[in-house]
Amino acid sequence: MKRLLQGVVTIWFIATSTFVAMHNVPGNPLLDEKAVSPEIRRNLEARYGLDRPVFPDQYLTYMRNILRGDFGISFTQRNRRVNDILREHFPVSAILGILAIVFAGFGGILFGSLTAVYRNRLPDVVIMVLVVVGISVPGFVFAALAQLGIVGLNEVLGWTVLPVAGWGTLRHLIIPSLVLGLGTMAFLTRLMRSSMLDVLGADYIRTARSKGLPPTRIFFRHQLANASLPVLTVLGPAIAAITTGGFVVELIFAIPGLGRYFVEAVQQLDYTVIMGTTVFYGTFLVVMVLVVDLAYALVDPRVRLE
Amino acid sequence: MNALLSIENLSVEFDTHGGVVHAVRDVSLAAYPGETVAVVGESGCGKTVTFQSVMGLIPMPPGRITAGEVTWRGDRMHLGRSAGRDLRGTEIGMIFQDPMSSLNPTMRIGDQIAEPLQVHRGKSRRQALSQAVSLLDQARIHAPERCAKQYPFELSGGMLQRAMIAMAIACEPAMLIADEPTTALDVTIQSDILDLLADLQQRKGMTIVLVTHDLGVVARVADRVAVMYAGQIVESGTVDDVFYRPAHPYTVGLKAALPARSIDPGRDLEPIAGTPPDLFAPPAGCGYFMRCPRAMRVCEGHPPDLVSLEAGHVSRCWLHHDYAADVSLDQA
Ligand SMILES: Nc1ncnc2c1ncn2[C@@H]1O[C@H](COP(=O)(O)OP(=O)(O)OP(=O)(O)O)[C@@H](O)[C@H]1O
Ligand code: SF4
Ligand SMILES: [Mg+2]
């Protein structure tokens, strides 16, 4: 309950600061070099309430609309409501993001376990070097490298194994989601390695062995189950990282996701779209963090949410 | 009678950054059906390593069994990473020093007790769980149904150790190895746990190996005793021999250091002056030389052998040697 309240306050804060920021950036969408006739301008101003004082009138309208789930109409795209943009393009981002997080989560747990089990031996050394690369090299570098790689691959094989960019089929999804999940996966691998090492030396693992359980059962029921818990705790921030990383990846791979629209909206000072997406993403992340916390409480009996 | 478990000339080493730790040196020990064997000694003398290496529970590497032969019911056991795998949980149950950390924190107690029954006895989860409840009851837990549904963090140390016992005896093992089962517990609970073990042994005819550093506990429950020092067995025999007629200066020192129960029952003494020798480079002579009040010149450079004093009572000390009198005169 307390968390829920915190979440609501966070969302309110995001909405308000977005509002303040938007009203303080230089520029005005209606005072463009493109001539807008005074009549249209007056109509628009009235429609958006721009003729009234910023506070409290505009702010209250803004808040009321947000509560109703109405983010208004795009300034630059003719006749498109922000809600429609969200509805159309968020699923694209979501599919990409979910794939990336699944990939990062499974990869992190798998590689983290491997490095711990083969501690200080070849697999560990190789993977940990890659992890450092994955954490320190920014995502757009991987994106560019991946595109180069795909081009090379397609050329060598003489047919299009994987598309370089675009959207539509499953094959379009693979590389962008891998690239998007890479940094998070590297981070999770490192986390998983240390927590798995802790678990491997734990007394209760010795107990499990003293019970004569088969190694696979010990691994899955006792080691993996406990070592994965820390990974779950950082899943909230991981989702946030992947969400923001998605902006860049969507641009580079020309994926019609929400991230790309957000970047374009910022470039074009499309206020309603910026505010709408910011508030939407903010809410989304707050909800995700809550969901992750709840999931954690379900998995770890020592944590109980009131 | 044939020994159930017999350890002969076992030596175990660990590779560490500081060098090779000679944790167990030439240890021989046997446990017979139905008896309680106690292994006593100070912290770090190799009690735990002895039994965990037999059961394949020490990490290898860095651990290494360098010598020795172990037999179970007369059959030679394979010693290595998978030592004792066929015996674990079925023939031999184990409980450990720290019950708080010895149970899986994210698994219900009942499920943990049910696990060996599912794996070794092919029981369904439901059958195994209901048997887990009756095992908890046998371990004298008052509300066994409730306990089975709880997680380790919800129970006290004493309760957890009972749960551990219930788990260890789930498949009716012939032997229970209890490695300092009461060290981490309150004094008041210690005797409850010891009573429980004694009672279970009576009813199930189990052999119990009790590892402890409390000679007082030994006198109470053991049939036979082995005293360990610096990786070696320095004296062993029946509880009467070792406790009431100690022959080795170390055992004598341990006994002298026992607090009188009436004065201060819970007192944990660090009785004998000095510390055990460095196991990186075990001394050439007697391991106890540096602390022994009766040390002689011969003790420093020559390791004493185990000398048989009476039937089944042995002690590793030059004092028992035929020439001892001469040697001590020599020193005087
Ligand atoms: N994994 C390991 N790596 C290196 N050395 C070890 C390892 N396990 C045990 N040892 C060493 O082996 C020696 C014997 O340890 P052991 O745990 O058997 O002592 P113990 O008699 O059981 O003592 P305690 O009463 O504290 O349980 C110690 O000196 C310890 O440092
Ligand atoms: S051999 Fe010597 S030093 Fe060792 S216990 Fe006997 S008398 Fe003491
Ligand atoms: Mg020990």
Side-chain angles (χ1 to χ4, degrees), chain B residues 159-228:
Chain B
M159 294 276 274
L160 289 175
Q161 196 61 290
R162 289 168 195 275
M164 281 293 292
I165 292 170
M167 189 160 77
I169 63 168
C171 296
E172 310 245 317
M175 176 184 274
L176 180 71
I177 299 177
D179 191 346
E180 307 203 30
T182 59
T183 308
L185 305 179
D186 275 5
V187 200
T188 47
I189 296 159
Q190 284 185 13
S191 67
D192 290 352
I193 297 285
L194 290 173
D195 287 345
L196 172 63
L197 286 177
D199 180 52
L200 286 172
Q201 174 176 42
Q202 286 264 303
R203 284 195 287 145
K204 312 222 175 223
M206 266 188 312
T207 301
I208 290 183
V209 173
L210 182 71
V211 172
T212 173
H213 52 229
D214 186 346
L215 202 60
V217 167
V218 170
R220 227 178 102 189
V221 299
D223 299 310
R224 285 191 311 118
V225 189
V227 182
M228 273 187 88

Side-chain angles (χ1 to χ4, degrees), chain B residues 5 17 53 63 78 80 88 94 182 226 246 256 276 283 319:
Chain B
L5 177 74
H17 291 301
S53 57
H78 157 78
R88 284 183 222 149
M94 294 185 82
T182 59
L319 288 172

Side-chain angles (χ1 to χ4, degrees), chain B residues 3 5-12 24-32 37-39 46 50-51 54 67-71 224-229 231-237 306 312 314-316:
Chain B
L5 177 74
S6 157
I7 300 172
E8 267 159 55
N9 310 107
L10 183 75
S11 292
V12 184
V24 173
R25 299 184 290 148
D26 200 22
V27 161
S28 299
L29 198 80
Y32 294 89
V37 187
V39 180
T50 300
F51 290 99
V54 168
E69 195 178 305
V70 180
T71 57
R224 285 191 311 118
V225 189
V227 182
M228 273 187 88
Y229 186 80
Q232 291 181 315
I233 289 187
V234 293
E235 179 168 7
S236 74
L306 278 175
V314 294
S315 171
R316 190 186 290 275

Side-chain angles (χ1 to χ4, degrees), chain B residues 248-250 286-290 292-296 298-300 302 304 316-319:
Chain B
H248 195 280
Y250 176 61
C286 173
Y288 193 49
F289 175 74
M290 295 300 288
C292 181
R294 305 190 55 187
M296 302 165 287
V298 65
C299 307
E300 183 170 11
H302 304 274
R316 190 186 290 275
C317 175
W318 280 118
L319 288 172

Side-chain angles (χ1 to χ4, degrees), chain B residues 254-279:
Chain B
L254 275 184
K255 196 188 162 192
L258 268 186
R261 291 263 152 198
S262 52
I263 300 170
D264 189 358
R267 216 159 120 220
D268 214 296
L269 295 158
E270 170 60 32
I272 306 166
T275 52
D278 186 2
L279 289 178

